[in-house]
Amino acid sequence: MAAQEHQQPQSRDVEVDTDAPEAPPAAPEAQASVATQGVDDLLDEIDGVLESNAEEFVRAFVQKGGQ
Amino acid sequence: MTARPEGLPSDKLPVGGAMRVMGSETEYGIHAPSAPGANATMMSARIIQAYANLTRQRAAGGAETRWDYTDEEPLHDARGWTVERSAADPSQLTDRPPVLDAEAVALAYGRQELEADGSDESGSLLMNMVLGNGARLYVDHAHPEYSSPEVTNPRDIVAWDAAGDLVALATVRKVAADPELPSINLYKNNTDNKSVSYGSHENYLMPRSVPFGDIVRGLTPFFVTRQIICGAGRLGIGQDGSTPGFQISQRADFFEAEVGLETTIRRPIINTRDEPHATADKYRRLHVIIGDANLSQVSNYLKFGTTALVLSLIEAGQAPKIEVHEPVAGLQAISHDTSLTATVRLLDGRRVTALDIQWMYYEAAAKLAQETGVSDSFSGDGHTRDVLERWESTLGLLGSNPAGAAGSVEWLAKMSLLDGYRNRDGVEWNDARLGLVDLQWSDVRPEKGLYYRMLSRGRMQTIVDDATISRAVAEPPSDTRAYFRGKCVSSFGKDVVGASWDSVIFDVPGIGKLQRVPTREPLRGTEALTGQLFRKHATAGAFLRELLGLDPAPPPGPQAG
């Protein structure tokens, strides 16, 4: 009975076969090439979601101690 | 499902591998950008309150329960003594409900609002809940904390730990939907980069018969080096992060001792807090405070899975016989070296890298697992083989092509993003935007959290799927006492007046005084033992009568036998 508000499928829409140790991560070369290819796109997207006024936002994030 | 060797009793797990009763604790960073001066404890209580409101809407009778503090013993030291309360730091006194006085509440939110909305039915602000999935959600110091239910294996810990992030997200949404309140952000990280750290803890059940000295010797070299597979990455060097650079671990710079009871000051690599939350002469709960909070599922999986394997090595007397010279300095040197070439000196004189030490532990764990049979692909325990394979492949990548591990190892994933910015924009490590990337990496909101942006682009490997995590928000694990606790809360919430790791307290009309059901055996109270009882009874009264033997012929309950 998970409530709908818990679902964020748009953020987790990547299905990965989790029961297959014989399907390991892509070969390093393949991953590296994908990484290079998409990095500019990725940074553009992240530019759009970063909080505005980075310096002020980071400075204001002050926590009290914890364990 | 877990394969069980024939003849293994239902309350025993296969030994020698990665299966073990364990749980996670996450203290979330908390911040209201539009009200930067707001009282952190008050905001944390607001978060707990938000979840109580949500679950009250969902479950008949309210899926929330107060915490029962009876068995909390934060000053018991595993080395065999107890600290006097007067000698303890006030932050160590975690066995008393935190008091939030009306004055603090009024200061933070105004008196009118307190009267209108700031309290539950009994008039006090809710600081502490037990959830239907068996977890605890509460205010710890000045942070909201989610403590996962007990699970038996590393795959389940990934699911129920990530479920905590969805609980956190639900509270953020709930608060944001209230136009009267400032929005509150939650971050799954461990430092504000201004000298303050807050924890992400692991708990592992061990037989009390294992000498604590063996645990310290066996674990220290492993804890000094495991950050290379499960560090979450941090911008800045030093407790205040003021030295420009990037390091592997969020937590390393905050550790100052090798062994100790404290968790908030002079933090030790090995923490000796000894609250078993279970039958005390049989078990100890190893309380691990050195880990980073992980969003990367693979890092989280390896953090728990490999640590469980190393505890099995220690129990079998087969941990590598090595000792690191000056482990605290070594921990920090390794964290500060993203090239993975830094060495530490062993007491036998050898100089070795973190990878070398991790391989020693891997080899020993693989050998023990083979000897005990738990890593066998057919007759094994169903978990150990996978942990060993991922551990081996991750160490292999770290040694040959670290960039290839950026889809699984969290610090490398974060570093790849920061490197992207540095390359594109030509900025230095102390650029404010990089600081924001580091912070916002751990925002629990998927549209803002940069880990989640990477995940949505298929750049992060996962261990469990979304449906499994969503289910873990509402359902307890089936194979520990968390099943009994969670089902009591979700089925009979309005009759449960308190719960803790090792008890559930009922107040049922017609049964007289409060009924405290102890659950001191972590592998009882499972679905196999109590599921039928929950399915059979619609009311707490009938359920409790059969469970406690007030009726004839009770079935086995959590304490039977």
Side-chain angles (χ1 to χ4, degrees), chain A residues 12 18 31 45 47 63-64, chain B residues 30 404 453 457 463 466:
Chain A
R12 296 163 177 266
T18 57
Q31 281 203 344
E45 178 191 327
D47 284 341
Q63 299 294 290
K64 285 194 166 175
Chain B
I30 184 165
R453 300 322 309 148
R457 285 182 164 255
I463 299 287
D466 294 351

Side-chain angles (χ1 to χ4, degrees), chain A residues 1-3 5-22 24-26 28-29 31-32 34-55 57-67, chain B residues 27 29-31 51 54 58 140 142-143 155 166 169-170 173 187 192 194 196-199 201 251 263-264 267 273 389 401 404 417 420-421 424 432 435-436 439-440 445-448 450 452-457 459 461-466 469-470 473:
Chain A
M1 52 160 227
E5 65 268 21
H6 290 142
Q7 304 274 7
Q8 292 301 327
Q10 78 277 14
S11 75
R12 296 163 177 266
D13 49 9
V14 188
E15 282 295 316
V16 173
D17 184 356
T18 57
D19 283 319
E22 63 276 11
E29 314 80 57
Q31 281 203 344
V34 170
T36 318
Q37 212 170 40
V39 77
D40 286 343
D41 279 1
L42 175 70
L43 294 182
D44 287 348
E45 178 191 327
I46 287 177
D47 284 341
V49 303
L50 283 179
E51 308 281 357
S52 50
N53 200 346
E55 192 160 357
F57 195 92
V58 168
R59 192 186 318 122
F61 180 73
V62 177
Q63 299 294 290
K64 285 194 166 175
Q67 299 213 34
Chain B
E27 290 180 53
I30 184 165
H31 181 48
Y51 203 66
L54 279 172
R58 270 214 306 268
D140 190 9
H143 302 269
R155 184 176 297 274
L166 288 189
L169 173 62
R173 300 277 195 239
Y187 298 89
D192 67 358
K194 299 167 190 70
V196 161
S197 183
Y198 33 99
H201 298 172
R251 289 278 271 177
T263 57
T264 54
R267 291 187 186 88
R273 183 188 288 188
E389 284 177 350
N401 171 33
L417 195 52
Y421 269 96
R424 189 190 70 177
L436 185 56
L439 172 59
Q440 213 174 314
R445 295 171 297 173
E447 72 278 14
K448 282 289 189 184
L450 304 187
Y452 290 108
R453 300 322 309 148
M454 301 271 277
L455 180 68
S456 76
R457 285 182 164 255
R459 286 172 168 267
Q461 292 174 42
T462 57
I463 299 287
V464 294
D465 61 24
D466 294 351
I469 300 171
S470 291
V473 170

Side-chain angles (χ1 to χ4, degrees), chain B residues 350-482:
Chain B
R350 282 182 288 167
R351 295 209 69 102
V352 293
T353 64
L355 263 171
D356 292 334
I357 291 178
Q358 284 289 303
W359 278 120
M360 292 179 209
Y361 276 93
Y362 168 79
E363 299 291 349
K367 178 166 172 286
L368 175 64
Q370 191 174 24
E371 285 167 10
T372 55
V374 289
S375 59
D376 189 277
S377 35
F378 297 103
S379 59
D381 64 16
H383 295 282
T384 299
R385 186 182 186 82
D386 185 61
V387 174
L388 285 168
E389 284 177 350
R390 287 182 190 271
W391 193 4
E392 182 182 26
S393 66
T394 301
L395 294 178
L397 274 179
L398 289 175
S400 61
N401 171 33
S408 54
V409 172
E410 188 155 350
W411 66 272
L412 282 164
K414 187 187 281 181
M415 192 168 82
S416 75
L417 195 52
L418 292 166
D419 280 341
Y421 269 96
R422 294 199 319 136
N423 292 334
R424 189 190 70 177
D425 301 346
V427 292
E428 298 297 324
W429 280 120
N430 58 358
D431 185 84
R433 208 150 31 115
L434 298 191
L436 185 56
V437 168
D438 184 22
L439 172 59
Q440 213 174 314
W441 175 267
S442 61
D443 192 318
V444 300
R445 295 171 297 173
E447 72 278 14
K448 282 289 189 184
L450 304 187
Y451 162 76
Y452 290 108
R453 300 322 309 148
M454 301 271 277
L455 180 68
S456 76
R457 285 182 164 255
R459 286 172 168 267
M460 300 301 299
Q461 292 174 42
T462 57
I463 299 287
V464 294
D465 61 24
D466 294 351
T468 303
I469 300 171
S470 291
R471 202 159 51 242
V473 170
E475 294 292 326
S478 64
D479 55 354
T480 69
R481 63 184 175 189

